[in-house]
Amino acid sequence: MADFLIEIGLEEIPARMIAAAQAELEKRVVGLLERERLVAAGAVGRSYSTPRRLAVLVEGVAQQQQDMSEELQGPSVKIAYKDGVATPAAVAFARKAGVAVEALQTVSTPKGEYIVATAVRPGRSAAEVIATELPKEIAGLYWPKNMYWRQGRPERFVRPVRWLLALLGEAVVPVEFAGYVAGSVTYGHRVLFGEQPVPVASPAEYADKLRAAFVIADVEARRHTIRKALDHATRAVDGLRWREDHGLVDKLTHLTEWASDRSVVLGSFEPEYLDLPEEVLVTVMRDHQSYFALEDSAGKLAPYFLAVLNTQAEETGLAVIRHGNARVLRARFNDARFFWEFDQRTPLTQRMELLKSVTFQKDLGSYAVKAERVQALAGKLGHMAAGRGVAVNAEALNTAAQLAKTDLTCELVKEFTELQGIVGGLYARAQGLGSDVADVIYDHYLPQSMDDAVPRTVEGALLAIADKADTIAGMFGLGLEPTGSKDPFALRRAVNGVVKILAESAVALPLTLREIAYAATSDQAVAARVHSFLAERLEFYLRDAHQQAYDVVKAVLASGNDDVRDAVARAFAVTVVRGGQDFVAVSAAFKRMKNILTQAAEKDAAPAEFVNAGLFADDAERALWERSAELASEVAVLRTEAKYHPALELIATLRPQVDAFFDAVMVMAPEPAVRANRLALLREVLADFSGIADFSEIVVAG
Amino acid sequence: MEKSALTFQELLFRLQRFWAERGCVLQQPFDVEVGAGTMSPDTFLRVLGPKPINIAYAQPSRRPADGRYGENPNRLFRHTQLQVILKPPPVRIQEIYLESLEAIGIDLKEHDIKFEEDNWEWPVGGAWGVGWQVMLDGLEITQFTYFQQCGGMDLDPICGEITYGLERIAGFLQDVDSIYDIVWAIEPETGRKVTYGEIRLAEEEQYSAYSFDYADVPKLWEHLSLYESECLALLEKAKGFEQMDALTLKRFPVLGAYELALKCSHVFNLLDARGAISVTERVGVMARIRALVVGVAKIYAAQGAAKSQAALQG
């Protein structure tokens, strides 16, 4: 047994691609060794990555495959032997199997007697197997964007390969890829260590050898060190705290090979830039410069930034680096201030005209046209909501809808596209349109993801829904539905947003998915497709945002998929009670009822139109009938009050009657009238209790 | 300005000498308006076909819409790129690039260098590549690209392109906050500093005014049509390469056609800066220019192939 290590040395891999590639390489290497019987099933590997390398280490790899014996079946005995002498067919079979003719044996099978050969396949050495098979795994790695670099275009990869290292124990495995044959050396940090090779004697010393060459190959160790360095640098100024940003920590972890207490600098900027909106400052720091923002003890943005370096330096070097980064940030802030001031010369209210020359989609016209459509749709939805008792500021909604897209004509948004909407909101406020309008514009792209917040106000929620629904309906009208992994207009995200807003808005919006779909377009066929797309995303929402089990979601949506909040409440209630024994039993019984009804329908045994108490032949029938009728009216009341949990508890109390019924009664009775009456009873019971969820969909363990 | 920092022209000298010593032919800037060094025929056409080339040149690059009348300290109508083309790229290309930074006085031990993903695309030229922006202490100082396609054609061998932003780098080295404060040269006799502003501010002011306020839109449209029709006529004639004798073939003005295509591209940029191209027109005009640029790339490749075919037969 030995450890196996493979390292692929590369020019800098894009940070966003590293984690997935590292995981995939680990899976491929372990999978290959398992498949080739070089490690025990279920073996785990350890993997490493930096921008310039991917590596996988697997312990306990056999040096040699076990020999494998394999029984091969040949022709029938009748064909193989003539008068006890082997025929040419038998000789050919023996040759193919690699055994002597004398070694052939005979077995009896249901089809008669056949000859068989036991062929032994000698195991190959691990080195041979790995050298042959591993290059295919490397070449098979998925990269979102590939390149060619060698003449003749022999391979595609994310960036040029620059070295390979492959060791089985202390021996080099000559894995070949991209013109390199693996050796036993790796390379350290470009600047801190230099270009000289780093010999690695065995896989076990790989990480330590690299650490000595200023490379932390273990991603989590590097991430941890970066976090500590951020803390360390922040302590230079009392009361400062860096703003947690997991995404940015992750990005920087994948942009660096090394980290230490001397690999983060705390820089500052002139406090007058704090007059610019925080959103703009943070976007410049985070998205354009990969800097962390800091805040004071009151949580207010402080005039400092943290830059994570792919190096470390002495104090003089750090001072130079700090100064350089501060200089760049100042220039960026200056630009932002320039754009901000420039944009104020033309207020949003004068920018509607300019929207005519900004295309939304070539067949759907300009943003000016879209704004008109959204304005009408938002108004319609607002009117519906107001009619059902929601307080809607129709005027603010109308103004916001009209102005929401005008920031697309502003320089600041052209420079910082990710701030669309937000800039509009900030400008609306600065231009005296009032927070009633400004907040609506500010929020109307929300939520951008399942983790994002929803708009804060009713009007914001209405505008966000109207904007998204208009996009979806417009694209569907052009036949541009998302297919498979293709969703170029991010329509799934838009629909997820609509569902999430309906489920989570601070004030409930009494609008159904159907109403939204049919308000968004006058084309009934398109509306129907939009509606079913919305319903499908409700299923996704319940599972993704609330981790609802598959069967619960199915059961709940079978009883209604139009009212988002109601569906969420029902799903929660079902999830709470589904573990209870009585509930399990009742669910199982409901499933049985449904099956009986289905089977009966297949045999043309129709239920009676009404349940006739006079036809009950057994007390258990009568008991179920009476008890379920009592419960049904109580459950109905609870349901209208949306008290789903107690309603479900109540349904579960039907268990004794249900159990007794199935113990005592045979539904498919020979007498047609009795049978039809019993089927009608089951149908009624199911109908009475399926308003919250179709319990027959609940999967019962065991 | 830091005492030891290079002047703008010293910076250019050093980089040119550095690349000349590593086998690059030094070429002078191309004398037709371009938006980037990539558009010079020394890049756009030389990367096509099998012939290796190592070449470097400083290319003044005009982007009319980026002009700010000389009022913005960080933005220019015309900036200077030092363009290096290495075809095929050497294995140590990144290391050599880092050595070039040392050559201009950047001690890598005292700075933070990152290669961050940044892919390049010029749709009008049917060209794209993958690569990085090189960040020095948070400042993008270089675009580093491995070309993959040009003129809609796969490249083999590919080339490595290194584009230094000279104003950015000079501003960084000299630690000035405005481009116009960059020291361009120091008079040896007097020690007087000649600044970037002294040499170029008037250009920025006037060309910004020209692009945004004065350029005659109907005339620009006429220019565009004229250049386009002449380029198209040449592309049409180029369809007869097979029938041409060797002399006519080698003298066929593909390079002239390319200049005409570049003229169209620049006129388009002026019209754009002037706000004269509506969104609906935009896509169409870009397609027209793409047809020219990609068309020229195709006949350049065809001419090269026909010439080597003729040489084989002759």
Side-chain angles (χ1 to χ4, degrees):
Chain A
M1 293 290 179
D3 299 345
F4 174 68
L5 171 69
I6 173 77
E7 182 194 48
I8 309 167
L10 292 153
E11 297 183 3
E12 277 76 353
I13 312 166
R16 67 188 167 101
M17 303 177 189
I18 295 179
Q22 177 188 338
E24 189 190 340
L25 182 66
E26 177 178 328
K27 205 171 142 216
R28 282 176 175 273
V29 171
V30 173
L32 165 65
L33 296 175
E34 269 183 12
R35 209 161 56 237
E36 295 293 339
R37 296 169 290 116
L38 291 166
V39 288
V44 283
R46 209 174 324 147
S47 59
Y48 304 90
S49 71
T50 74
R52 293 177 66 215
R53 70 202 76 229
L54 297 174
V56 177
L57 193 160
V58 185
E59 291 176 4
V61 178
Q63 296 280 2
Q64 181 85 23
Q65 290 174 329
Q66 298 264 316
D67 294 346
M68 268 223 308
S69 58
E70 196 178 9
E71 194 157 274
L72 304 172
Q73 188 174 321
S76 69
V77 169
K78 269 189 265 171
I79 292 172
Y81 297 101
K82 209 127 216 141
D83 307 327
V85 179
T87 63
V91 174
F93 170 67
R95 193 183 320 122
K96 203 176 121 207
V99 300
V101 177
E102 298 74 46
L104 293 174
Q105 290 167 312
T106 303
V107 289
S108 308
T109 76
K111 287 197 254 163
E113 301 230 297
Y114 283 82
I115 56 167
V116 293
T118 306
V120 176
R121 273 203 302 166
R124 294 190 293 163
S125 77
E128 184 193 336
V129 171
I130 292 168
T132 318
E133 301 298 326
L134 189 52
K136 297 175 207 162
E137 300 295 332
I138 297 174
L141 279 176
Y142 169 76
W143 298 103
K145 200 171 182 93
N146 277 298
M147 66 172 286
Y148 293 101
W149 68 97
R150 288 204 297 155
Q151 201 146 352
R153 300 154 58 96
E155 67 275 304
R156 300 168 82 207
F157 215 60
V158 63
R159 286 291 184 277
V161 172
R162 286 303 173 224
W163 74 86
L164 293 173
L165 176 157
L167 288 174
L168 182 62
E170 295 179 359
V172 168
V173 183
V175 175
E176 263 188 77
F177 183 70
Y180 289 88
V181 180
S184 59
V185 298
T186 182
Y187 292 87
H189 190 278
R190 283 186 197 283
V191 173
L192 295 173
F193 187 74
E195 278 186 70
Q196 62 275 28
V198 178
V200 179
S202 71
E205 67 171 42
Y206 171 72
D208 288 342
K209 274 292 173 80
L210 274 178
R211 197 176 269 270
F214 298 97
V215 171
I216 303 176
D218 184 302
V219 175
E220 290 320 308
R222 205 161 67 242
R223 190 192 312 273
H224 181 71
T225 312
I226 288 172
R227 300 191 78 96
K228 300 253 290 194
L230 286 164
D231 291 338
H232 179 82
T234 304
R235 278 197 289 275
V237 175
D238 275 345
L240 275 190
R241 227 183 8 222
W242 59 279
R243 286 202 178 155
E244 178 57 72
D245 187 335
H246 291 283
L248 189 53
V249 170
D250 195 58
K251 176 178 174 187
L252 287 157
T253 302
H254 293 304
L255 271 175
T256 52
E257 292 214 288
W258 179 248
S260 78
D261 267 357
R262 289 180 291 128
S263 70
V264 169
V265 290
L266 175 71
S268 62
F269 55 86
E270 289 72 12
E272 56 259 34
Y273 289 114
L274 291 174
D275 293 343
L276 281 168
E278 184 170 322
E279 293 86 342
V280 174
L281 298 173
V282 171
T283 299
V284 171
M285 287 193 272
R286 176 185 203 278
D287 297 351
H288 294 249
Q289 293 299 130
S290 301
Y291 298 157
F292 289 86
L294 293 100
E295 56 189 30
D296 61 20
S297 46
K300 234 177 109 287
L301 191 70
Y304 293 92
F305 67 92
L306 286 164
V308 175
L309 318 178
N310 180 31
T311 189
Q312 65 178 22
E314 298 305 322
E315 197 39 56
T316 52
L318 289 180
V320 171
I321 295 169
R322 180 181 300 120
H323 179 80
N325 280 285
R327 186 181 160 275
V328 180
L329 188 60
R330 199 184 309 126
R332 287 273 191 180
F333 283 170
N334 255 330
D335 266 1
R337 184 156 64 188
F338 176 86
F339 292 137
W340 174 278
E341 284 164 5
F342 184 84
D343 286 341
Q344 300 313 314
R345 295 183 202 168
T346 313
L348 297 184
T349 47
Q350 289 172 27
R351 288 178 181 268
M352 271 122 70
E353 187 66 21
L354 299 174
L355 277 183
K356 288 185 180 160
S357 56
V358 185
T359 310
F360 166 59
Q361 202 280 343
K362 71 175 165 49
D363 297 315
L364 297 174
S366 69
Y367 269 101
V369 180
K370 176 173 172 66
E372 278 172 30
R373 283 196 310 265
V374 171
Q375 198 180 357
L377 177 54
K380 210 188 294 181
L381 297 176
H383 187 73
M384 282 159 77
R388 293 164 195 174
V390 178
V392 178
N393 181 341
E395 204 186 317
L397 176 59
N398 189 49
T399 310
Q402 203 170 29
L403 299 178
K405 301 298 177 187
T406 53
D407 68 352
L408 294 174
T409 67
C410 293
E411 295 301 313
L412 197 60
V413 171
K414 290 181 195 164
E415 187 75 4
F416 304 110
T417 48
E418 60 272 60
L419 288 179
Q420 59 183 2
I422 291 173
V423 166
L426 294 169
Y427 283 0
R429 188 182 295 266
Q431 291 163 12
L433 290 165
S435 61
D436 282 357
V437 172
D439 290 352
V440 177
I441 297 175
Y442 189 101
D443 287 352
H444 86 278
Y445 285 96
L446 295 179
Q448 307 255 24
S449 71
M450 291 309 270
D451 307 321
D452 205 359
V454 299
R456 293 161 289 175
T457 61
V458 169
E459 296 78 18
L462 288 167
L463 179 58
I465 291 173
D467 183 29
K468 292 168 175 62
D470 173 72
T471 301
I472 298 156
M475 296 296 180
F476 272 50
L478 297 174
L480 297 172
E481 278 102 335
T483 51
S485 62
K486 286 207 183 71
D487 184 11
F489 305 103
L491 298 182
R492 286 198 188 96
R493 190 173 76 187
V495 176
N496 290 342
V498 171
V499 171
K500 190 175 160 84
I501 293 169
L502 289 171
E504 299 176 21
S505 60
V507 174
L509 293 175
L511 300 171
T512 67
L513 296 178
R514 168 178 294 277
E515 286 166 343
I516 291 168
Y518 283 82
T521 171
S522 52
D523 183 328
Q524 300 292 300
V526 172
R529 296 204 318 268
V530 171
H531 179 223
S532 66
F533 190 50
L534 284 162
E536 177 197 308
R537 298 322 280 175
L538 171 57
E539 184 178 331
F540 168 80
Y541 174 80
L542 288 170
R543 285 196 273 129
D544 187 79
H546 295 297
Q547 277 82 49
Q548 294 295 309
Y550 188 80
D551 60 334
V552 170
V553 173
K554 235 176 140 188
V556 164
L557 296 186
S559 302
N561 60 3
D562 221 21
D563 181 335
V564 171
R565 267 182 204 250
D566 186 63
V568 173
R570 287 185 282 126
F572 280 157
V574 171
T575 298
V576 170
V577 300
R578 73 172 297 188
Q581 279 188 5
D582 289 344
F583 186 78
V584 168
V586 170
S587 293
F590 279 18
K591 178 171 268 170
R592 194 166 162 192
M593 292 179 197
K594 200 174 170 185
N595 289 342
I596 291 169
L597 285 169
T598 314
Q599 285 161 12
E602 284 163 6
K603 290 179 195 155
D604 288 331
E609 203 169 335
F610 303 102
V611 177
N612 179 354
L615 286 171
F616 288 147
D618 195 297
D619 283 349
E621 280 181 275
R622 185 178 308 281
L624 177 61
W625 166 244
E626 284 171 357
R627 182 66 189 141
S628 71
E630 277 167 41
L631 283 180
S633 57
E634 287 178 55
V635 166
V637 171
L638 289 169
R639 239 182 72 199
T640 52
E641 293 167 355
K643 291 178 177 159
Y644 298 127
H645 185 186
L648 292 171
E649 300 275 11
L650 211 53
I651 293 171
T653 64
L654 194 59
R655 180 180 180 181
Q657 288 76 25
V658 169
D659 284 351
F661 176 83
F662 279 117
D663 281 346
V665 177
M666 192 180 70
V667 179
M668 299 306 274
E671 309 88 337
V674 173
R675 183 171 67 218
N677 195 49
R678 284 176 181 167
L679 288 170
L681 171 59
L682 296 190
R683 185 193 61 207
E684 294 300 308
V685 171
L686 276 179
D688 281 347
F689 299 114
S690 295
I692 298 174
D694 177 353
F695 301 106
S696 65
E697 295 285 355
I698 298 293
V699 176
V700 179
Chain B
M1 174 183 167
E2 304 241 326
K3 235 175 158 180
S4 57
L6 301 177
T7 62
F8 188 66
Q9 66 187 27
E10 276 291 343
L11 169 64
L12 179 55
F13 292 160
R14 291 270 186 105
L15 286 172
Q16 287 184 326
R17 173 156 297 282
F18 177 89
W19 286 106
E21 284 168 355
R22 277 149 194 85
C24 281
V25 168
L26 291 187
Q27 170 66 296
Q28 300 307 310
F30 185 56
D31 58 346
V32 170
E33 307 92 333
V34 292
T38 309
M39 294 162 74
S40 158
D42 282 318
T43 293
F44 187 75
L45 296 179
R46 286 186 197 276
V47 300
L48 300 168
K51 200 173 165 197
I53 179 80
N54 293 322
I55 193 165
Y57 53 93
Q59 184 63 53
S61 304
R62 296 185 182 215
R63 296 181 180 174
D66 287 356
R68 291 290 182 273
Y69 300 91
E71 289 175 353
N72 185 309
N74 305 307
R75 299 208 177 211
L76 292 171
F77 150 78
R78 200 186 82 180
H79 68 289
T80 321
Q81 299 183 342
L82 180 76
Q83 173 86 348
V84 180
I85 291 292
L86 303 169
K87 172 191 174 185
V91 167
R92 286 185 69 253
I93 186 167
Q94 283 183 299
E95 284 75 16
I96 300 171
Y97 165 74
L98 292 174
E99 287 165 13
S100 79
L101 298 183
E102 299 267 5
I104 55 173
I106 295 169
D107 177 0
L108 297 178
K109 296 262 184 211
E110 295 210 330
H111 293 281
D112 177 40
I113 290 268
K114 293 192 189 92
F115 288 81
E116 299 188 13
E117 179 191 18
D118 195 17
N119 303 321
W120 167 82
E121 190 182 17
W122 183 34
V124 164
W128 65 274
V130 305
W132 308 277
Q133 48 180 340
V134 183
M135 307 297 289
L136 174 67
D137 299 345
L139 177 70
E140 181 193 346
I141 55 165
T142 303
Q143 270 291 141
F144 196 130
T145 307
Y146 288 114
F147 275 39
Q148 300 288 299
Q149 273 202 334
C150 205
M153 293 173 281
D154 290 338
L155 302 181
D156 187 18
I158 64 144
C159 78
E161 178 202 56
I162 299 173
T163 305
Y164 299 83
L166 291 181
E167 284 86 357
R168 289 255 181 106
I169 298 174
F172 172 85
L173 293 174
Q174 299 182 12
D175 193 25
V176 292
D177 282 336
S178 166
I179 290 170
Y180 299 104
D181 295 336
I182 290 170
V183 176
W184 189 300
I186 299 174
E187 286 179 4
E189 305 280 309
T190 60
R192 191 181 84 83
K193 289 171 178 164
V194 181
T195 64
Y196 192 91
E198 215 174 307
I199 302 298
R200 290 221 50 252
L201 181 59
E203 274 180 78
E204 288 296 323
E205 291 165 344
Q206 295 188 16
Y207 279 115
S208 296
Y210 175 73
S211 320
F212 293 131
D213 311 317
Y214 287 85
D216 184 322
V217 172
K219 288 272 190 304
L220 287 175
W221 283 116
E222 272 183 64
H223 291 318
L224 185 66
S225 303
L226 287 171
Y227 288 129
E228 182 190 31
S229 62
E230 192 181 355
C231 185
L232 286 172
L234 285 173
L235 289 177
E236 188 59 36
K237 283 185 188 144
K239 285 178 180 162
F241 279 158
E242 292 78 18
Q243 285 79 51
M244 285 181 194
D245 60 74
L247 190 65
T248 316
L249 176 66
K250 81 172 179 186
R251 286 183 179 171
F252 186 84
V254 172
L255 299 174
Y258 187 56
E259 283 197 13
L260 294 166
L262 288 180
K263 284 285 185 190
C264 289
S265 167
H266 179 62
V267 172
F268 170 83
N269 289 341
L270 282 172
L271 283 165
D272 201 24
R274 200 74 177 79
I277 302 180
S278 74
V279 179
T280 37
E281 283 170 313
R282 197 186 167 78
V283 182
V285 182
M286 284 179 70
R288 276 163 66 189
I289 300 173
R290 186 187 146 95
L292 304 181
V293 176
V294 172
V296 172
K298 295 246 156 50
I299 65 166
Y300 178 86
Q303 187 184 36
K307 271 158 72 180
S308 41
Q309 187 65 28
L312 277 177
Q313 287 166 354

